Amino acid sequence: IVPWDANGNGMPDDWEYLWFDGDMTQTAEGDYDEDSFPTSAEWVASTDPGAPGSYVGWDLMYKVGSTMTLTFQAVPGRIYHVEARDTLANESPGWFPLGSVTNDGDNTVQWTDSSYPSNTLRNYRIKIPAYAP
């Protein structure tokens, strides 16, 4: 039986072998394609660690009335959780879930926050459940 991570870097060896042509020297903190998305994050997000344009991240945000529309890069077939926080101050409440979305289409997802607060800024983040083949 071969362990899933024989080299102990926190990423499955079969995934490393596939994406790095058998080069098992990559580190979880590394950034092979220099897209500011670490190799371990590429594994979790199911993105291509050798393609700088393959990542999960914000593309566009715009507000109309009390609705904020968010567009982000995503991998087809994956589920994403959108969370918000109305202030980043230490004493403020933490992140709270707004909803989940499955990317059924191309490489982008559009999601709408219909509870956007008036007269304040809202911070958003995308949570990506670990890939499970």
Side-chain angles (χ1 to χ4, degrees):
I1 297 176
V2 177
W4 77 279
D5 184 19
N7 61 3
N9 66 356
M11 297 176 294
D13 292 344
D14 59 345
W15 182 84
E16 291 178 88
Y17 193 85
L18 171 71
W19 288 104
F20 300 111
D21 295 323
D23 176 7
M24 304 299 282
T25 63
Q26 300 301 315
T27 65
E29 306 81 27
D31 186 8
Y32 185 78
D33 57 10
E34 299 179 345
D35 63 357
S36 300
F37 207 53
T39 304
S40 60
E42 301 262 16
W43 166 60
V44 169
S46 303
T47 55
D48 182 345
S54 179
Y55 64 93
V56 173
W58 302 113
D59 274 349
L60 178 66
M61 296 180 184
Y62 63 90
K63 183 178 179 244
V64 176
S66 62
T67 301
M68 177 68 79
T69 300
L70 311 165
T71 303
F72 59 93
Q73 291 286 318
V75 175
R78 291 298 308 269
I79 296 171
Y80 300 92
H81 306 296
V82 179
E83 295 186 342
R85 190 171 180 176
D86 291 334
T87 179
L88 294 178
N90 287 337
E91 66 278 354
S92 69
W95 293 94
F96 55 91
L98 291 175
S100 298
V101 62
T102 300
N103 182 8
D104 292 327
D106 56 14
N107 292 330
T108 61
V109 167
Q110 190 172 73
W111 192 83
T112 302
D113 178 2
S114 56
S115 66
Y116 191 83
S118 60
N119 301 323
T120 188
L121 295 176
R122 177 169 275 177
N123 300 280
Y124 295 96
R125 72 178 178 185
I126 306 163
K127 289 192 76 174
I128 307 168
Y131 177 66

